[in-house]
Amino acid sequence: MQLQVARIGKPHGIRGEVTVQVLTDAPGDRFVPGTEFVVEPASAGPLTVISARWNKDILLLGFEEIETRNEAETLRGAKLFIETEELDEDNDEGWYEHELVGLEARVGSRVVGKVAALNTMPVQDLLVVTTPDGEEILIPFVEQIVPEVNIEEGFVLLTPPDGLFELNSDQGAGTDPESNA
């Protein structure tokens, strides 16, 4: 199984290093020299880490296959994946994005959309829920607002505070999942 661990950002310096958005809770284990990543798009990889260092709060990676800033620029936006068999299915500490995408988002028994993505943020993660009319709503992925994730039955249960859907909506009023309109 492939697990996304990073997204490549902009080049750093002239020797082919890149900044990365870390999407794993174990960067010290994932970004060690010699680690080979599967890359999306496939034309950009595979990539093998030769250096990993922190510059303030930003991880910088160097790859064997990338030697110049111009080559590094071609990687911008690429996703880094590792092959893993070590996923513990009984681990209750969290979910991977691929497990959440496509699940129905429900308020009570009412379907209010589908999970489109998981945005991993420094303070808290956000579920991106696409409503039936195509709007994207950002939902804080915290237990008080998302008390249940049921992978087997294909849904996440939401208990949004009043106004959450309007606040995070482009159109404002009229998207309250609790309304009878």
Side-chain angles (χ1 to χ4, degrees), residues 95 99-100 103-104 148-157:
W95 293 270
E99 295 175 304
L100 299 169
L103 297 180
E104 287 183 344
E148 182 180 353
V149 175
N150 191 322
I151 302 293
E152 294 78 29
E153 294 186 29
F155 71 91
V156 295
L157 182 63

Side-chain angles (χ1 to χ4, degrees), residues 60-86:
L60 303 174
L61 294 180
F63 300 105
E64 285 180 15
E65 299 82 1
I66 305 298
E67 296 178 359
T68 68
R69 183 179 182 89
N70 288 343
E71 291 173 331
E73 182 64 46
T74 66
L75 297 177
R76 190 184 292 238
K79 298 175 182 178
L80 300 179
F81 296 85
I82 58 165
E83 286 289 339
T84 183
E85 298 299 325
E86 59 193 58

